[in-house]
């Protein structure tokens, strides 16, 4: 088993508050609506820290048929726009990874913009680190969902205003 991590930053043209509401408070509602080719449905079990988001992958997602990902919320701090979850089942858990922790912080950079700072920490199942080729879809996916929420919020300026 090898421990690894990666970080990314992306500037988004919506406020941290609006992005927080869409990407953190309601991903189970927005992600299947905005990315139906990747998420067929989603649900949140519980509320706040300890709640679990379950995302079911669409057949066109290139994930195994019937595949899903369960993530337990471990940090939910609206004051600092900090969110952290731990993948507990599905997705790459048990395939490539033993564990995966995801953290995002939305740093306001203007009235209608923010910088999303993303950090992922993982442990592999095997004794080698993930290659850049293996990390790319994980990194692209986390940025892709934020960009999809950004696009939706820009097209719908009254949502979460």
């Amino acid at each position: 088993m090898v421990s690894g991590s990666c970080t990314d930053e992306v500037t988004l043209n919506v406020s941290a508050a609006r992005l927080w509401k869409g990407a953190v408070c309601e991903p189970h509602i927005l992600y299947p609506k905005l990315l139906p080719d990747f998420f067929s449905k989603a649900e949140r079990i519980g509320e706040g820290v300890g709640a679990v988001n379950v995302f079911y992958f669409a057949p066109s997602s290139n994930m195994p048929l019937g595949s899903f990902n369960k993530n337990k919320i471990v940090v939910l701090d609206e004051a600092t726009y900090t969110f952290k979850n731990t993948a507990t089942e599905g997705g790459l858990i048990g395939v490539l990874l033993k564990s995966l922790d995801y953290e995002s912080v939305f740093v306001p950079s203007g009235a209608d913009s923010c910088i999303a700072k993303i950090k992922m920490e993982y442990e592999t199942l095997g004794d080698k680190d993930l290659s850049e080729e293996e990390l790319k879809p994980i990194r692209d996916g986390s940025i892709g969902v934020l960009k999809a929420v950004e696009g939706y919020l820009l097209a719908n300026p009254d949502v979460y205003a």
Side-chain angles (χ1 to χ4, degrees), residues 5-6 122 130-140:
S5 66
C6 59
Y122 57 86
L130 295 180
S131 68
E132 283 302 315
E133 183 178 307
E134 291 168 318
L135 277 172
K136 184 174 177 18
I138 301 169
R139 296 171 90 164
D140 289 351

Side-chain angles (χ1 to χ4, degrees), residues 65-83:
L65 192 58
S67 187
F68 64 92
N69 190 11
K70 284 187 181 180
N71 302 303
K72 182 178 180 180
I73 299 171
V74 294
V75 175
L76 191 63
D77 185 348
E78 188 171 4
T80 61
Y81 300 117
T82 301
F83 169 77

Side-chain angles (χ1 to χ4, degrees), residues 15-34:
S15 70
R18 290 183 72 213
L19 187 64
W20 175 265
K21 290 174 185 171
V24 173
C25 296
E26 296 191 351
H28 57 293
I29 296 168
L30 283 186
Y31 290 7
K33 177 180 178 176
L34 302 179

